[in-house]
Amino acid sequence: MGRLNGKTALVTAAGQGIGRASALAMAREGARVIATDVNREALAELAAEGLETLHLDVRDAVSVAAVVQPVDILFNCAGFVAAGTILDCDEDQWDFSIDLNLTAMHRMCRAFLPGMLAQGPGSIINMASAVGSLIGAPNRYVYGVTKAGVIGLIAAGEPFGGGLGACPDDLCAAIPGFRTALTLPEAT
């Protein structure tokens, strides 16, 4: 208990599932948690549990810009599991999945990283999946593509430091069921 005392964490898709469980766990560990979601009813439930809440559509750059503030931890958890094969995936499903599962993470990192670099060490956690990045799964074509992209987003790494001479302590992918993470080396 108390491992996150004095830290501020912003969690996307905190209304349900892994996002909700993570937001509540961070709060139990002492963090000031800013729980975000597009679902206002789910946010009301989190507010009733004592968490600070903000409505956020991670697919909208204006919405993202409106919630930027100093944080120590950014947990990008928003995502969608599209079902189907390559033959089932039309342009709309492709665009939606890429935008929510990958582009939104880029958007959030790009928005929050300058403040994190200015204030000092922090952590960015991007929700990935074993599907696409480590294994294939039936009927999870575009989901697998996007989650492999999340690993690429992290592995590319340099755009996050971008010649600024610093990077967060941890830039990693959360891969449920696995005890591994890709992290950037400390800035020199």
Side-chain angles (χ1 to χ4, degrees), residues 9-150:
L10 186 134
V11 180
T12 67
Q16 64 183 2
I18 294 170
R20 178 182 176 85
S22 298
L24 292 170
M26 289 179 191
R28 280 192 305 274
E29 289 295 333
R32 169 186 166 231
V33 176
I34 304 160
T36 71
D37 206 293
V38 293
N39 182 332
R40 293 183 193 276
E41 290 176 16
L43 289 175
E45 291 173 16
L46 289 169
E49 296 203 40
L51 273 64
E52 188 176 330
T53 62
L54 291 173
H55 182 263
L56 173 62
D57 179 355
V58 295
R59 295 181 64 222
D60 178 55
V62 173
S63 183
V64 169
V67 302
V68 172
Q69 58 189 282
V71 299
D72 301 290
I73 302 162
L74 173 62
F75 183 17
N76 289 313
C77 193
F80 175 74
V81 181
T85 67
I86 189 171
L87 298 175
D88 301 317
C89 182
D90 63 19
E91 293 288 327
D92 291 337
Q93 187 180 63
W94 175 269
D95 291 344
F96 176 80
S97 295
I98 293 288
D99 191 33
L100 180 57
N101 293 359
L102 185 58
T103 304
M105 285 188 188
H106 162 78
R107 185 176 295 120
M108 291 293 292
C109 289
R110 186 167 164 79
F112 279 85
L113 191 59
M116 294 179 81
L117 291 170
Q119 79 181 27
S123 297
I124 297 175
I125 306 160
N126 292 323
M127 181 54 69
S129 174
V131 174
S133 56
L134 300 173
I135 61 171
N139 294 312
R140 294 292 184 264
Y141 168 69
V142 72
Y143 177 74
V145 168
T146 63
K147 293 306 179 172
V150 171

